[in-house]
Amino acid sequence: MSAATKPASRRLFGILLMCLAVSTFAISDAMAKWLGAHINVFMVVWARYVVHFVIALVVFNPWTVPGLLSTRRPVLQVTRSALLFGCTILNFTALQFLQLDQTVSIMFSAPFFVALFAGPMLGEWVGARHWAAISAGFAGILLVAQPGAGGIHPAALLSLFSAGCYALYAILTRMLADTDKTPTTLFYTSLVGSVVASLPLPFAWETPQEPAVLVVLLLIGLVAGGGHMLLIIAHRHAPAAVLAPFLYVQIIGMIILGWALFHQVPSLWTLAGAAIVIASGVYLLLNERRERARETLEATLGD
């Protein structure tokens, strides 16, 4: 039974898992922000990837999944994983200077970058309505960042670059979906990230001085890894088009955590910009869903 034909109860369960997944991503970002005040960002990124890799190794490993390391496009696998690593370190660095709600609002510009890059990379060119939604989305980003108005730290550029890295990562994920198995792609993600994160350790190692820091360093990889597993399971219960709009639950989680943990109240500019970003992103998602439905109907009639 495909995800599109599963009963409503399965879809609701998938939506619940999606909401839990993005909530764990909000929690891991809050952990990263807290850790940044106690230990350097390289240690935070290293812990996040190494613990995630250990979890992935328990679930997916060459012994339980034969042919796990076999990939038809190794360069693409490594590049994709490196892009996600770049996204992580840029985001974690930006979190040291920005509020949680600001970073997540800017990060949600990723769908717009996907629309921009999909043309030259995938041959999926967008029309005038898509460009209008993309323009509106970037207007929302400008409201959040308020460039030149003294309203936000220049680290907003790090979040923007992080969103660009994530968009390229998403496109390469789509390119690999036709050639490599999902466990293979997941394994390479954590493996490459762990290796790259370990390279600066001889120069950046910092022994945690407080037990709480050590505990949170271990938990951040566990939470992030658990979130990705919930995301995978959610897509087994509901179609991607149904789940995608619920990604924006993360913004709500970030606002709540920013207020509860760091006493950060989002400005009206941030709320207005986030609302525009969400509306533009949902429009892009719904429009893509309609386009796929039309293509399916045309293909059926053509048969």
Side-chain angles (χ1 to χ4, degrees):
M1 182 183 295
S2 68
T5 59
K6 286 177 180 175
S9 60
R10 295 288 298 275
R11 292 190 179 200
L12 287 174
F13 185 59
I15 290 170
L16 174 61
L17 291 176
M18 171 62 82
C19 293
L20 289 174
V22 297
S23 296
T24 63
F25 297 152
I27 292 170
S28 67
D29 276 2
M31 288 178 170
K33 184 172 180 62
W34 183 84
L35 284 168
H38 299 82
I39 202 164
N40 70 68
V41 70
F42 292 103
M43 290 292 297
V44 179
V45 174
W46 176 77
R48 179 253 181 271
Y49 269 100
V50 169
V51 175
H52 186 187
F53 175 66
V54 172
I55 295 172
L57 194 61
V58 172
V59 181
F60 304 117
N61 57 70
W63 298 276
T64 58
V65 183
L68 180 67
L69 297 176
S70 177
T71 171
R72 293 171 59 184
R73 310 179 80 174
V75 174
L76 213 59
Q77 281 285 7
V78 173
T79 302
R80 171 189 171 278
S81 301
L83 283 167
L84 184 60
F85 174 82
C87 170
T88 303
I89 196 164
L90 286 169
N91 184 44
F92 281 11
T93 303
L95 280 167
Q96 309 316 308
F97 305 100
L98 305 178
Q99 293 189 180
L100 289 172
D101 54 86
Q102 292 171 326
T103 57
V104 73
S105 297
I106 297 172
M107 276 296 297
F108 272 110
S109 64
F112 314 126
F113 283 113
V114 169
L116 285 171
F117 298 150
M121 295 183 69
L122 298 174
E124 299 175 1
W125 301 95
V126 299
R129 291 182 179 179
H130 270 74
W131 282 114
I134 291 169
S135 300
F138 276 114
I141 299 296
L142 290 177
L143 279 180
V144 175
Q146 303 172 61
I152 198 169
H153 196 279
L157 287 174
L158 296 179
S159 288
L160 200 60
F161 288 137
S162 180
C165 285
Y166 187 84
L168 290 170
Y169 158 83
I171 288 176
L172 294 190
T173 299
R174 288 169 63 180
M175 293 171 68
L176 283 165
D178 294 331
T179 59
D180 290 359
K181 300 176 182 177
T182 299
T184 297
T185 300
L186 289 171
F187 187 80
Y188 273 99
T189 300
S190 56
L191 173 62
V192 173
S194 297
V195 171
V196 177
S198 299
L199 293 179
L201 272 193
F203 313 99
W205 179 264
E206 186 178 343
T207 303
Q209 300 299 314
E210 305 169 52
V213 174
L214 180 59
V215 171
V216 178
L217 279 173
L218 293 173
L219 285 177
I220 191 169
L222 183 65
V223 170
H228 282 284
M229 289 300 298
L230 287 172
L231 200 65
I232 294 168
I233 299 171
H235 281 83
R236 292 176 182 167
H237 290 271
V242 171
L243 296 176
F246 293 92
L247 286 168
Y248 294 102
V249 169
Q250 187 173 349
I251 292 183
I252 299 172
M254 293 288 249
I255 290 173
I256 293 172
L257 289 171
W259 170 77
L261 300 178
F262 305 104
H263 309 292
Q264 298 173 341
V265 179
S267 69
L268 291 178
W269 290 110
T270 298
L271 292 175
I276 293 173
V277 170
I278 291 173
S280 302
V282 169
Y283 173 82
L284 286 173
L285 291 167
L286 293 177
N287 192 67
E288 181 182 8
R289 187 178 179 182
R290 285 194 297 268
E291 288 294 323
R292 288 183 179 178
R294 188 184 69 182
E295 291 172 1
T296 301
L297 178 61
E298 289 175 352
T300 302
L301 293 175
D303 291 340

